[in-house]
Amino acid sequence: MILSFTLDGKNYAIDQSASIDISIPLLFNGDQPNVFGVAPANSNACETKDLIGDTRRGGSCNFEQYTLIPHCNGTHTECVGHITHERISVCDILRDTLVPATLISIQPESALKTADSYVVKLSDNDQLITKSALELALSSAQGNLLAGLIVRTSPNDDEKLSQRYSSAPFFSLEAMRFIVSLGVKHLVVDLPSIDRLSDDGKLANHRLFWNVADGRFEVKEGSRRDSTITELVYVRNEIPDGRYILNIQIAAFASDASPSRPLLFPFISI
Ligand SMILES: [Zn+2]
């Protein structure tokens, strides 16, 4: 089925059967990404006195118990409830289904070689996504295709499918303010966090993105409550930068974050 739509008076189309999955499949009990060295996601067949949830062991069907930490075990989408005392759930927040979006590729830079800043002192090893790198990558982007922004970072290879992260590139404060100024509502990254993994718990970029005050744990007037951040995607190199419709699929978890499966639909000519 071809879906055609109009944006600012111009006609576009996508093929609903031609989606590109940019999630990392979560292999329970297998190789998977990991952040902070937490317990890996795992699954076990349920077992009671009379039932076994594994057909290979005589059960009538498979039913397993899954244990995971969405923020640390793979592709996930989170909402402002990640940093508020109020329990806000991503399945209440994420209402957009077809999001005009742009995919860009970015080479993070040595933090000490840029003029950009961050909320804690930076070291030699820190790699930053800077405002100027974003400006360059977005120089020919259409403003009306930035409700979703997908950022693919270099180097980009299959290691991202099972990377164990204790550090990773992250956005400068200037870069995050720029993203907010563009009106990006759904930010998708292939990193474990938009912040430095160790930033004294400040989560400065998360706070900038959702417009929650430094050190505060509540939304305020003007907070970007409807916005989401998706982390730990993997955008293969053969997928070109450019224009897409983004569809973020999540589980109906009443929680700040859910495992997710973002899909990209390339624009086609009509
Ligand atoms: Zn997260």
Side-chain angles (χ1 to χ4, degrees), residues 21-24 68 70-71 74-81 88-99 186-188 210 225-231 233 246-263:
D21 187 343
I22 58 168
S23 66
I24 296 176
L68 75 156
H71 287 287
T75 309
H76 63 281
T77 297
E78 61 200 37
C79 71
V80 67
I88 301 170
S89 72
V90 65
C91 70
D92 287 336
I93 294 294
L94 182 60
R95 294 288 166 193
D96 296 328
T97 51
L98 300 172
V99 180
H186 301 288
L187 177 59
V188 178
W210 284 312
R225 195 184 165 103
D226 295 341
S227 302
T228 69
I229 300 169
T230 300
E231 293 162 336
V233 300
L246 166 69
N247 171 231
I248 303 175
Q249 303 184 338
I250 58 170
F253 283 7
S255 58
D256 71 284
S258 161
S260 62
R261 186 171 78 136
L263 300 177

Side-chain angles (χ1 to χ4, degrees), residues 144-164:
N144 59 1
L145 297 177
L146 287 171
L149 177 64
I150 304 104
V151 179
R152 167 174 47 197
T153 59
S154 304
N156 189 54
D157 55 43
D158 285 356
E159 277 188 28
K160 282 182 177 155
L161 297 170
S162 57
Q163 185 90 31
R164 300 183 67 81

Side-chain angles (χ1 to χ4, degrees), residues 1-5 12-18 266-270:
M1 182 170 60
I2 305 299
L3 302 177
S4 60
F5 53 96
Y12 302 93
I14 57 170
D15 178 352
Q16 65 85 31
S17 67
F267 282 28
I268 58 172
S269 34
I270 42 174

